[in-house]
Amino acid sequence: MPDFSRRLLPLLGHSGGSRDAMTCLYRCANACDHPAPNESANPYLGDVVNAEMSRRGVVRAGAVGAMVLGFGGSALAAAGPAAAAPAAHPGSGHGHGHHHPQPKAGKIGFKPVAPNTLDAFTIPEGYRSSVVIRWGDPVEPGAPKFDVDKQTAAAQSKQFGYNNDFVGVLPIPGRSDRALLVVNHEYTNEDLMFRGFTSQDALTVEQVEIAMAAHGLSVVEIEKVGRTGQWKPVKGRRLPFNRRITALDTEFKLTGPVAGSALVKTKADPSGRIVIGTLNNCAGGVTPWGTVLSGEENFNQYFIGGDGVSADAKAKLNRYGFVTATRYFSGSRKWDRAQDRFDLTLNPNEANRFGWIVEVDPFDPEGRPRKHTAMGRFKHEGANVIVAKSGHVVAYMGDDERFDYLYKFVSDKKYIDSKSPWARKHNLTLLESGTLYVAKVTGDSPAAEIDGTGKLPADGKFDGKGEWIKLVSGNRSFVPGMTAEEVLTFTRLAGDAVGATKMDRPEDVQPSLRTGKIYAAMTNNSNRGVGTNAKADEANPRNANKHGHIFEITETRGDHTGTTFTWELPIVCGDPASADTYFGGYDKAAVSPISCPDNVAFDSAGNLWISTDGNALGSNDGLFATPIEGKEKGHLRQFLTVPKGAETCGPFITGDDKSVFVAVQHPGEITGASVDKPASTWPDGDFAKPAVVVTWKADGGAIGS
Ligand code: FEO
Ligand code: CA
Ligand code: CA
């Protein structure tokens, strides 16, 4: 019997990019070692270059929905969670209200930090940083003090979870010095969590449950420290908002067309409406009505038993990267040992209950978070919303897998811009019904000029046009042969059927509230142009794309509800000294090297902030900032680096621009590391702990200025 323990197989066949083998194993069960799940014959962009695009729907004149107040903006009159309609910025959390100073657009003034491989959190001169909260710190009242040797599932269920990713900071109405920090806990690494770990099989069921409890989200009330940009958790017994949401036992409500359908009914939930837990929550966004959206990403790795399902079910599982050839596999977490719903042979529909966008209302600590089926099911990186001029809410989303797609969702109902409780109640339903689109893009340069090296075509730009193809609207499917429920549950197959464009791993996708343009991080794609895989095209112009690029979308006439757009690549990442990089035409001698863009955010000046995952240039990961409009466009500088083995997640810039939060995810995640032999001792000098860090300017100025 072969040994399928996670411990023994991390190096077998590992062919991923720049990430350590241990990260590949734990985060996505070695997804890069498997063929990319998209085997559709969708034309790559070169086949359809300069194709005439059909116009669908009514294109209205649009504008940016910059109706939100900034952090520190006028306090809301309403008090208490029921009336809360926090002044949140959709997405990165900064506001564009007129209640705080607006730095001059595009002004960035810090001295960049140098690439490095230190086991340290490094920031520019003149800045300060501090750990806000780390793995094991108390969240819910009564949480026991963290002890790595005496950990229990009950303790972990009240403590800050593992591997923080998305970070959102939502002001508490009426309190300019208080906010709710909402954080995703994407995945666990048992090698680094349990002293003496040998294999997944050797874990006790209690330890499996600790891992389940270390997944999910945390809601933590934080307070400002003096007048600086520093924040710290509020201590005390009365912390009504503090909450852990876990994979172990938190109930979620399914909303939308798939709720109650046969596709999501199970023995334990014959209603098909209540799901236990959330999995692999990666990035996310903050809505204008003060909730958090969180993407369920590599949910496939949590299930075993794919070999025992029907042939039809196998085809669908395969498209989502589930293993169906064997019961166990390299990277299997074997959670079926604690809860048999993770055995697909016994519970084939349980898989369909994950892979959704989750909405958490942090101001409703007793409420069930919801999974919105109207927004489709794929490996959701996250979702960021903007309010279109029409009032409809538009969410932009990426499916993070090599050769997968970009999506957008347009709500049926309109946002009500009011702080009243009834308006908030209405806004909380906006993501429950709407229309889901997938992106198809074409380039404007001759295919022959896109040679896969990253060399710019003769017109000097990687750019072109795009179309949002309607997949489903309410209960009506626009994909032949698929019902609306099927389109929403097997959205990747729907994208295949309509010829969506295969992209280089779409990660975070976020609209700028200053310009209304949308920025998507294509993190990398080692398989582009390799073997029979799709070749480079103008939107993904490098074969074996190691360093990734930024994809900018401009909706036609600024209408976010429309169906056509233009696009360009403002940044093609890598070493600026290398000919295959592009930084908006800026002098590359002044630019910091950047590799594998993952999360994006904006400050209130509209500068684009980019965090990285898996620097293929040899440096630790970091956070970068660049103006994205005007003369300084492309002048990208590195703002910080994270410790050894870690990835930079978040980032989140508060609406007053005084603080930037990042999540330091998987510090010390290097093959061979353990609690006793840590590859990183950050942040406390003993063994590595994922943590959220806030950075501010010592003189009280705006971040990056
Ligand atoms: Fe969890 Fe797509 O990064
Ligand atoms: Ca071009
Ligand atoms: Ca990510």
Side-chain angles (χ1 to χ4, degrees), residues 443-445 449-450 457-464 538 567:
D444 69 359
S445 293
E449 292 184 10
I450 309 299
D459 69 356
K461 266 187 183 177
F462 296 116
D463 60 348
E538 196 163 347
W567 63 267

Side-chain angles (χ1 to χ4, degrees), residues 282 381 507 598-599:
C282 190
E381 173 72 14
E507 295 253 25
D598 187 335
N599 302 114

Side-chain angles (χ1 to χ4, degrees), residues 27 165 186 282 297-298 381 400 505 507 598 613 647:
R27 181 174 45 202
D165 196 309
E186 186 178 19
C282 190
E297 195 187 29
N298 292 298
E381 173 72 14
D400 181 8
R505 286 189 57 197
E507 295 253 25
D598 187 335
D613 168 19
E647 162 183 353

